[in-house]
Amino acid sequence: MSAPETPMLELRGVRKAFGDKVVLDGVDIPVARGRSLVIIGGSGQGKSVTIKIAIGLMAPDAGQVFVDGQDTSQIRSAADRAAHNARFGMLFQGAALFDSLTIWENVAFRLINADKVPRKEARERAVEALSRVGLPASVANLYPIELSGGMQKRAGLARAVVAAPQIIFFDEPTTGLDPINADVINDLIVEQVKRLGCTAVSITHDMASARKIGDEIAMLHKGRIVWRGPAADIDRSGNAYVDQFVNGRADGPIKVEV
Amino acid sequence: MNPVQAVGRSTLGLLRTAGSVAIFAGRGVAASVSAPWFGGQMARQVVAIGYLSLPVVGLTAVFTGAALALNIYTGGGRFNAEQIMPQIVALGITRELGPVLAALMLAGRVSAAIAAEIGAMRATEQIDALHTLSTDPFRYLVAPRLIAAVLTLPLLTAVADTIGVAGGFLVATQTLGFSGPLYVQNTWNFLTSWDIQSGLIKAAVFGFIVALMGAYHGYNASGGARGVGRATTHAVVSAAILVFAADYILTSLFTAK
């Protein structure tokens, strides 16, 4: 019998509190290499905190984060940290494009500033990445403010994938988009993740998006994973929390706190 | 809460903030003195902080020099010492008013702008994005601003010194009947190089304070647009107060020499 494969990303016993409010209460999330996990859950249930801890933007109060078997808390030197960060890509909820830079400079940011790729080559790669997400070369010299929300998301996706990361995080990728643009972004995410063969972790409360981009879905509620299973099983989970969330019912075990 | 508890809580809060600023400053300095540097960012900041502040610093200096000349002439007249006006104007401008006024103008113009820009970047997750793009925000955002302010405020002060003395010269020669060549000669003979150097050293320290306060409050902004507004206000107020405090400390050190 072969040994179980080391997860590409694993949160083990992660706990995080802000003052008295416990946001994550011992969360365990292993994600296998090349798989796409979507974490769903209501607002304020710790989805964003989970992703921030996974990517190293926030330190957990307790627990560990492993990337390809390596405990990230043991990374000490700046060079090792930079090499570690180079494995990640992230599409932010609001795209988080740098508004003082043009679109191509945004997309090529890591190539120019971290990987020291010559500007000419970086520009070519940025334009190529833009074309992969359906943006014409003519937008390369525009500034983020000149693009619509959907186009900004596409540019953010191009920035996330241009350096071929091993793990990509998607933070509410369809929030703020109309259903058609949201579906386009979902398709692009699936396409890019498949092309790169990378591991993906997304957080969303958009069920259409979760069904489309996830191989697996996990539900986070009150700081714990209350259900996890194949995306195809989401409608027959047998879990009261998942059923209420997926069907968008006010009645059920999840009480909206006001 | 009783008064003792209130005082204790305020003291702890003050110490916590001081510690947080000290750590931030340490990280900013460390990023400023070691590679990699972002040359393009630094050049942009030199233009934004230095070059674009020239008009406001120049105008402030010329009016202050002129008003100072009138005040010293009037005050000196009370004990028949009007003739020392050029020397006092030059001394006051180079040692004190040049660096302090240039720093205050920068606190209003630059510290606020830095806090607003970095605060908006925090609010829109652009600082988080820098992390995910393998770029240290202290190297990309904080260090270029610190370096640019430390380098350009002494240059702005040199300009303010020259224009401030010229403001005094204009008032003296045009309305108070001073001889132009004599005014210049008196000023030149009186000033020592230390008068100018001490002002420029002060300016470098003030530049660091102004940029640091803008960056610190912007970087730690929270609470959306309101938080950015609050960060901007705190940056300007704290920069101005720290400039005055540093001015007193440096002046005490320089005059004890």
Side-chain angles (χ1 to χ4, degrees):
Chain A
M1 202 171 119
S2 62
E5 193 192 354
T6 306
M8 188 63 188
L9 174 73
E10 183 177 10
L11 276 70
R12 200 181 289 171
V14 168
R15 191 176 184 284
K16 184 75 183 174
F18 297 99
D20 297 336
K21 185 172 169 51
V22 178
V23 178
L24 297 179
D25 191 12
V27 165
D28 296 305
I29 305 177
V31 189
R33 192 180 307 271
R35 299 285 286 174
S36 173
L37 172 72
V38 176
I39 302 171
I40 59 171
S43 303
Q45 298 300 321
K47 301 193 301 295
S48 292
V49 173
T50 303
I51 220 169
K52 283 185 175 173
I53 287 174
I55 207 165
L57 290 172
M58 201 179 268
D61 297 337
Q64 293 155 296
V65 178
F66 294 88
V67 173
D68 205 5
Q70 184 188 17
D71 182 352
T72 57
S73 67
Q74 300 304 313
I75 299 171
R76 299 273 182 247
S77 74
D80 288 348
R81 174 62 59 186
H84 171 74
N85 285 345
R87 306 173 88 162
F88 297 131
M90 179 154 176
L91 172 59
F92 288 84
Q93 187 173 346
L97 299 172
F98 306 121
D99 31 38
S100 60
L101 301 180
T102 60
I103 294 299
W104 84 261
E105 286 171 326
N106 264 283
V107 174
F109 191 91
R110 172 183 276 171
L111 301 177
I112 294 171
N113 294 295
D115 302 344
K116 305 298 174 197
V117 173
R119 279 179 75 84
K120 189 170 178 291
E121 184 191 335
R123 191 183 196 287
E124 285 166 6
R125 286 174 63 180
V127 170
E128 188 187 328
L130 286 168
S131 75
R132 279 205 207 97
V133 297
L135 288 175
S138 57
V139 306
N141 289 325
L142 299 178
Y143 284 88
I145 191 74
E146 299 173 274
L147 266 55
S148 68
M151 290 168 87
Q152 286 188 21
K153 279 274 168 75
R154 289 182 192 224
L157 178 59
R159 185 174 71 178
V161 301
V162 71
Q166 295 169 4
I167 306 173
I168 310 188
F169 297 89
F170 300 99
D171 182 1
E172 306 279 7
T174 55
T175 296
L177 300 180
D178 64 74
I180 297 169
N181 260 309
D183 199 45
V184 169
I185 291 293
N186 289 334
D187 286 341
L188 286 170
I189 287 173
V190 171
E191 186 185 314
Q192 294 303 313
V193 169
K194 202 170 283 178
R195 181 181 68 84
L196 293 168
C198 57
T199 306
V201 178
S202 314
I203 57 172
T204 185
H205 46 232
D206 173 356
M207 286 315 301
S209 181
R211 288 173 209 274
K212 195 152 204 174
I213 64 181
D215 298 321
E216 284 183 285
I217 296 178
M219 178 154 176
L220 191 61
H221 180 67
K222 288 202 180 292
R224 288 181 167 276
I225 298 293
V226 294
W227 181 83
R228 179 172 174 166
D233 292 351
I234 191 74
D235 293 314
R236 46 178 186 277
S237 67
N239 181 293
Y241 293 97
V242 175
D243 284 346
Q244 184 187 355
F245 188 83
V246 168
N247 295 303
R249 289 195 303 261
D251 296 331
I254 304 172
K255 302 296 176 201
V256 178
E257 291 169 16
V258 287
Chain B
M1 189 188 303
N2 70 42
V4 177
Q5 277 181 315
V7 170
R9 186 163 292 193
S10 302
T11 307
L12 286 175
L14 191 66
L15 289 173
R16 201 165 29 238
T17 304
S20 166
V21 170
I23 291 168
F24 189 92
R27 287 182 68 186
V29 170
S32 301
V33 298
S34 62
W37 291 284
F38 289 91
Q41 279 292 307
M42 219 167 322
R44 260 193 290 272
Q45 293 308 320
V46 166
V47 171
I49 296 174
Y51 181 70
L52 295 179
S53 297
L54 272 172
V56 69
V57 169
L59 283 170
T60 307
V62 72
F63 289 124
T64 303
L68 188 64
L70 285 174
N71 276 319
I72 291 170
Y73 184 80
T74 307
R78 291 178 191 163
F79 42 93
N80 299 319
E82 298 96 328
Q83 294 311 311
I84 62 160
M85 185 265 274
Q87 293 91 325
I88 304 297
V89 166
L91 193 73
I93 293 281
T94 55
R95 291 186 79 126
E96 185 67 26
L97 291 173
V100 169
L101 288 176
L104 289 180
M105 289 301 107
L106 241 66
R109 209 189 81 79
V110 172
S111 203
I114 292 174
E117 187 178 0
I118 296 182
M121 290 182 75
R122 167 66 72 198
T124 54
E125 298 186 305
Q126 290 178 51
I127 293 179
D128 289 345
L130 280 173
H131 278 288
T132 66
L133 295 166
S134 303
T135 304
D136 180 357
F138 271 78
R139 293 192 182 281
Y140 188 75
L141 295 175
V142 180
R145 286 162 174 81
L146 288 178
I147 293 170
V150 168
L151 291 180
T152 58
L153 193 51
L155 296 175
L156 285 169
T157 298
V159 172
D161 288 350
T162 309
I163 295 177
V165 169
F169 172 86
L170 280 176
V171 168
T173 55
Q174 300 303 310
T175 65
L176 302 176
F178 277 71
S179 148
L182 202 59
Y183 190 102
V184 173
Q185 193 185 357
N186 281 345
T187 302
W188 190 253
N189 289 340
F190 179 74
L191 278 182
T192 65
S193 61
W194 178 245
D195 292 331
I196 297 165
Q197 285 166 14
S198 63
L200 298 183
I201 293 169
K202 280 183 177 182
V205 174
F206 296 163
F208 179 77
I209 290 171
V210 165
L212 178 70
M213 286 299 102
Y216 172 78
H217 287 287
Y219 197 86
N220 292 295
S222 61
R226 192 154 170 252
V228 175
R230 210 167 32 228
T232 308
T233 307
H234 288 167
V236 175
V237 172
S238 57
I241 290 171
L242 287 176
V243 162
F244 283 123
D247 182 44
Y248 172 72
I249 293 167
L250 290 171
T251 305
S252 302
L253 290 173
F254 293 158
T255 51
K257 193 166 117 78

